[in-house]
Amino acid sequence: MIKFHENNIHAAIFDMDGTMFDTERLRFQTLKQASLELIGVEFTDAYLLSCLGLSARSAEKLANQQYGQEVPYAEIRKRADQLELEHVRKYGVPIKFGLMQVLERLRKSNLKMAVATSSRREIAEEYLINANVYKFFDIIVCGDEVDNGKPHPEIFLKAAEQLNIDPTLCLMFEDSENGVMSAFEAGGLTVLLQDIKEPNSTMLEKANFFYESMHDFLEDLNQFTPKLKMPALFDSFPQTLNQHVVGIHGFGAIGGGYIAQVLSHWDGYTRPKQIYASTRNSLYRNSVNTFGGYSIRYGQHSHNERIDNITVIDASNIEMMQHMYIESSLIALCLPEKAIEQEAKTIAQGLYARYIHFEEQLNPLTVLIVLNKVGAKSLIEQQICSALHEITDAKTVNIIMSQHYFCDTVVNRMVAKITDQKLFRQLKIKYNIFRHVQDEHDLDVTDVDEGTRLNAEQEQLATQYIDDLYEKFKSAHILQNLELILFHAETDMPLYVENNSPLLEKMRQMILVEEIEEIQLIKNRMWNGVHAMTAWAASFRQYETIGIALSDEQISKFMLAVLHEVKVGLKDLLPHRKENLELLAKSFIDSCETAYKDPCDRVARDPYRKLGFGERVLSSLAYNFQRGKPYQEIFKGLVLGYAYVILKQNQRFEDVIRHFAQQLSQTELELEDQLYLQEELKRRLKICDPKLSESVDQHVLLEKILNEKIEVEKT
């Protein structure tokens, strides 16, 4: 039962044609063609409009009045049925946008469900099955099973009787005048959905509720159905597909290993019918498309989660990318910062193609910006605007940018993408399994080393594996039963999203935030900053992953000490976010301790950016130092970052000191404080200076940095 606008509702009864399915226009076409074939005259629009909602018997009487008593109406209707069936069998039943979400919400609200249609049962069942909505309904009452067609109330009364529900406790959905009259006379709560015919005053008077579309009703219904709680890891994705197409611009670790999962959970009632994801990695692209999906592994729970209904497209193919932007209602930009300038050109072309395709009509796209950076939205919008100005005029740029919903995000999960070599191993093993089954001759397969990229021979073999598997087994769906692991992920579920799009209101795995910048700041400093400093420390002991590194008591102790100092500063800066801080801190610790697939070299990469002004490490250091908060452990992490730059990336000692001075100069620190910190960095990094030492024992360096006390007070 649901409470809908103060009315207790126990059941929902739906008309079919024109209400659930956009078939009235198709029906008009087939009846015109059939009448032309059989009597040489097309039925007129006026006649066809007057037949809306009528039973076959009533429509035949009307045909006799307008086209003569001898008109072979039954034969015309039968021929129209044939033409219509041919069309829907070839192209599918055109369903009203929002229907799937409505049916799922009503069903999961424990309503009983029925269809009351003037169509014959043979036609009705084929359409309902074809549209994959037959499963929602307890009973179906058809036009050839009642004595009196609409506008008589018999069909709705019979449906309510079979459901064993009082008609006054039923929502009755209709689109035609005769249908509305039938529902009204039956005593139901009548919902009028506009179809071809503009509702007249009688229809509006008899209807309890009027909506211009099924989607408009869905938006109203959303107020009376609950948002489903955050899913648990083992919760399955919704079975029912809605009519949304979504895109992931950037099929990397976060895009494929997290965002695809968020989108697959959708609102918990339904999920998108299609996910597009773009990449330039042909090995990943061809593998996913051949296997019909892929899996994400959650190692600490021995659980694999399969993503399907996904097609991976070539990010270099501008036509495919434009198609993704035109078809999608939501696109997630999962791009590294260094790729933004180049990818902004593709985004701009996609948005412009969408603008042209919809002929300037407002058709807003929701754009999730998944960049892992404070101020990501502003940066992305600037780059897109700049790229749009290169292909169109300023007025059009303003229209395009203003009609879409750009939403910043904060990711709360660690995800690692497997290497090309590990994917190659999987393909080789699966190929050999099927080759053995087929009893084919052995091939000379090259050994796989521990590198990341494939050599030329491995690339050729990988292509052969994929092509052979696709050719022999794709049609039998065997490959879809094999798990192709592409990502290793931690289990944190929430995606924090700026509350800036109505499409996101019911998303199950999203937490909508008004001040997303505050969550970004917490994530940037407490997760990303501490993560990077931990990885720099781990690198000097040659640990492969974060999870393994934290088995080292000294590194684990250092990580917790840095985390504590960063939290102290953030609590001072954002006292109202104390609860978020504690939750994110615990989540971070749990993730790191089990991050056995999270490579240290990936987390440690690009240290200059992470040590820059406004970024994760220096921001925490400057804030705590300026306000007299503890900063010693953060400073050790900063020293480790610059040591990493010198020893792992072969940068000059002088350039490192100059970089730190330049970044400090942009902070609010007094000059005296800047100079003090510069001198401290020089002193601590002298062991890395090749002028003073020909070689550096990295274990000794780590011990020296982590164990030497840094005075709180300036000297």
Side-chain angles (χ1 to χ4, degrees), residues 50-54 150-152 174 176-183:
S50 63
C51 291
L52 290 177
L54 293 182
K150 300 173 185 178
H152 194 281
E174 269 291 352
S176 68
E177 182 172 359
N178 288 320
V180 168
M181 291 296 297
S182 176

Side-chain angles (χ1 to χ4, degrees), residues 228 247 275 396 428 547 563 650:
L228 299 183
I275 301 175
T396 303
K428 172 185 173 183
L563 184 66
N650 300 315

